[in-house]
Amino acid sequence: LIDFQPQQLGGVHSMDRDLLVKNAVSTVRTITTFGVPVVHSTVNVATGREQPTLPELADLLTDVKPLDRTTINSWEDTEFVQAVHATGRRKLIFCALWTEMCMAFAALDALREGYEVYPVVDAIGGTSPEAHRAGLDRVIQAGGQPISWVSLAGELLRDWARPQAAAIAEIVVTDRLSKEQ
């Protein structure tokens, strides 16, 4: 989860910002339901230039200390890369602001290191529709596999007989899809 901070959200013009935040919240709720480790990064909070993570997401990640950095590309931050390596996972799910920079740069570097990369296309926002598309296209051309937050939930669940089924039904159907048009 990269740079879900008020200033970055204010620069998003590729989709409705409220919907983007709801999608990111649903993504985080989904992955934490399955115990997927989260690496949570912010930019420039310690310098005082930026505000911390949006409360809607920070409240879901109280056990995950945000890693603050100054680099645009989180993959150029040693603490961030060490945290990713420490998860022991080879598949990375990306939610980030902005698509064309903070998501694309880190995803491209992760792909070069042999990771599988899954940008959650509706939980990532760019500075324009064109910038969002260009950022996604770069990552896809390099081998990234785009996914939506709903398809991610289905892919992780795979079978309604699993113990997480009730929680996923609540996240996807009850809390979101049945309430939205």
Side-chain angles (χ1 to χ4, degrees), residues 71-84:
T71 60
I72 292 171
N73 180 353
S74 55
W75 210 264
E76 292 177 351
D77 181 82
T78 303
E79 190 177 20
F80 180 88
V81 174
Q82 288 174 344
V84 171

Side-chain angles (χ1 to χ4, degrees), residues 7-161:
Q7 293 89 333
Q8 281 73 16
L9 183 62
V12 169
H13 299 286
S14 60
M15 71 179 289
D16 179 81
R17 294 177 193 142
D18 291 336
L19 180 58
L20 173 65
V21 172
K22 285 180 186 179
N23 293 347
V25 165
S26 295
T27 300
V28 170
R29 288 181 64 204
T30 296
I31 63 175
T32 56
T33 295
F34 289 96
V36 174
V38 176
V39 177
H40 173 199
S41 183
T42 56
V43 65
N44 273 328
V45 173
T47 65
R49 292 186 189 139
E50 304 286 342
Q51 295 174 12
T53 301
L54 297 167
E56 304 94 310
L57 289 160
D59 291 348
L60 298 173
L61 299 169
T62 56
D63 296 336
V64 181
K65 177 186 173 277
L67 306 173
D68 193 49
R69 58 181 212 293
T70 58
T71 60
I72 292 171
N73 180 353
S74 55
W75 210 264
E76 292 177 351
D77 181 82
T78 303
E79 190 177 20
F80 180 88
V81 174
Q82 288 174 344
V84 171
H85 290 167
T87 69
R89 305 293 177 106
R90 299 303 300 171
K91 296 180 180 186
L92 305 179
I93 301 163
F94 276 83
C95 293
L97 302 178
W98 300 324
T99 313
E100 67 273 23
M101 292 171 48
C102 298
M103 187 285 292
F105 296 169
L108 291 167
D109 284 346
L111 284 161
R112 279 190 279 280
E113 282 194 29
Y115 285 89
E116 289 181 46
V117 169
Y118 299 85
V120 184
V121 297
D122 49 358
I124 298 171
T127 58
S128 70
E130 296 81 7
H132 176 74
R133 181 81 260 152
L136 283 172
D137 286 349
R138 287 184 73 192
V139 171
I140 292 165
Q141 289 169 2
Q145 301 175 53
I147 193 165
S148 71
W149 77 268
V150 173
S151 61
L152 174 66
E155 192 160 330
L156 290 172
L157 181 60
R158 304 192 79 73
D159 187 335
W160 288 107

